[in-house]
């Protein structure tokens, strides 16, 4: 593991990704608001390969956006390489949730090669004591307000 695996760069690019993720949430909500949730995530690898997803219902439970994006990446490109980053509209969950499919997003990320998370809004209901990754939030106030407004629908 290198220190660069934990460093977050190119915030303007990541903010554009966050804006695109917000649009994806809105599009999926219009398509089927019972199937799709209000969080989106994207995996960007060191070669700039990118996949994105929105949280969705799997049976009676929610598969969170980070898990969905990681699964799509693995299906398309294989293992997620070191140096990859997760961009998400809402910081990864880590508290117990009965309606969530599988473990928390924090545990999922901790058990992966990803060591960088860039988010649009930090969820104030989640405790962040056990992250094995760097988590930074956008400084762009417009993006932050948009991500917060979407997140406030269910927090």
């Amino acid at each position: 593991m290198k220190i660069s695996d934990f460093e977050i760069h190119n915030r303007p690019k990541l903010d554009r990704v966050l804006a695109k993720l917000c649009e994806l949430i809105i599009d999926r909500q219009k398509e089927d608001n019972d199937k799709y949730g209000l969080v989106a995530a994207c995996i960007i690898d060191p070669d700039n390969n990118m996949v994105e997803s929105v949280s969705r219902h799997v049976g009676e439970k929610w598969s969170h956006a980070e898990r969905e994006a990681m699964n799509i990446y693995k299906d398309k490109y294989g293992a997620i390489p070191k140096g990859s980053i997760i961009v998400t509209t809402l910081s990864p969950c880590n508290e117990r949730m009965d309606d969530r499919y599988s473990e928390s997003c924090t545990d999922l990320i901790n058990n992966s090669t990803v060591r960088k998370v860039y988010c649009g809004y930090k969820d104030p209901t989640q405790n962040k004591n056990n992250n094995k990754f760097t988590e930074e939030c956008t400084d762009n106030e417009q993006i932050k307000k948009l991500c917060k407004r979407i997140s406030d629908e269910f927090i």
Side-chain angles (χ1 to χ4, degrees):
M1 191 98 24
K2 303 175 291 196
I3 191 69
S4 61
D5 289 339
F6 292 86
E7 295 173 341
I8 295 178
H9 304 285
N10 201 347
R11 286 173 171 266
K13 173 187 175 183
L14 299 177
D15 287 339
R16 287 190 299 275
V17 171
L18 279 171
K20 184 177 176 188
L21 291 174
C22 289
E23 290 174 9
L24 181 62
I25 292 169
I26 293 165
D27 290 346
R28 292 296 185 269
Q29 283 291 298
K30 288 178 183 176
E31 182 181 321
D32 187 342
N33 67 350
D34 290 326
K35 179 178 180 179
Y36 296 106
L38 295 168
V39 178
C42 174
I43 307 288
I44 306 171
D45 72 17
D47 293 328
N48 215 31
N49 293 311
M50 187 181 313
V51 299
E52 58 197 24
S53 189
V54 174
S55 56
R56 67 182 183 90
H57 264 121
V58 174
E60 296 297 315
K61 299 199 179 233
W62 284 100
S63 181
H64 287 191
E66 295 89 340
R67 172 177 303 285
E68 288 295 305
M70 291 172 90
N71 288 342
I72 292 168
Y73 185 95
K74 289 173 188 173
D75 288 347
K76 188 170 184 177
Y77 298 108
I80 299 171
K82 290 179 181 176
S84 297
I85 185 170
I86 293 177
V87 181
T88 182
T89 57
L90 183 65
S91 59
C93 68
N94 68 353
E95 300 289 326
R96 179 173 169 73
M97 295 178 185
D98 291 333
D99 68 342
R100 178 186 60 228
Y101 173 78
S102 201
E103 81 269 33
S104 74
C105 295
T106 294
D107 288 343
L108 178 69
I109 297 166
N110 282 345
N111 292 323
S112 77
T113 57
V114 175
R115 295 293 172 250
K116 299 181 274 193
V117 174
Y118 188 75
C119 59
Y121 178 65
K122 287 196 179 189
D123 185 343
T125 69
Q126 300 294 301
N127 176 358
K128 298 295 176 186
N129 291 336
N130 65 341
N131 291 5
K132 294 181 182 176
F133 51 87
T134 299
E135 179 182 299
E136 293 182 24
C137 193
T138 182
D139 291 330
N140 182 310
E141 288 302 317
Q142 288 180 310
I143 300 283
K144 192 180 293 185
K145 284 179 185 175
L146 180 57
C147 290
K148 181 182 183 317
R149 191 168 69 226
I150 292 170
S151 299
D152 282 347
E153 293 293 318
F154 71 93
I155 292 181

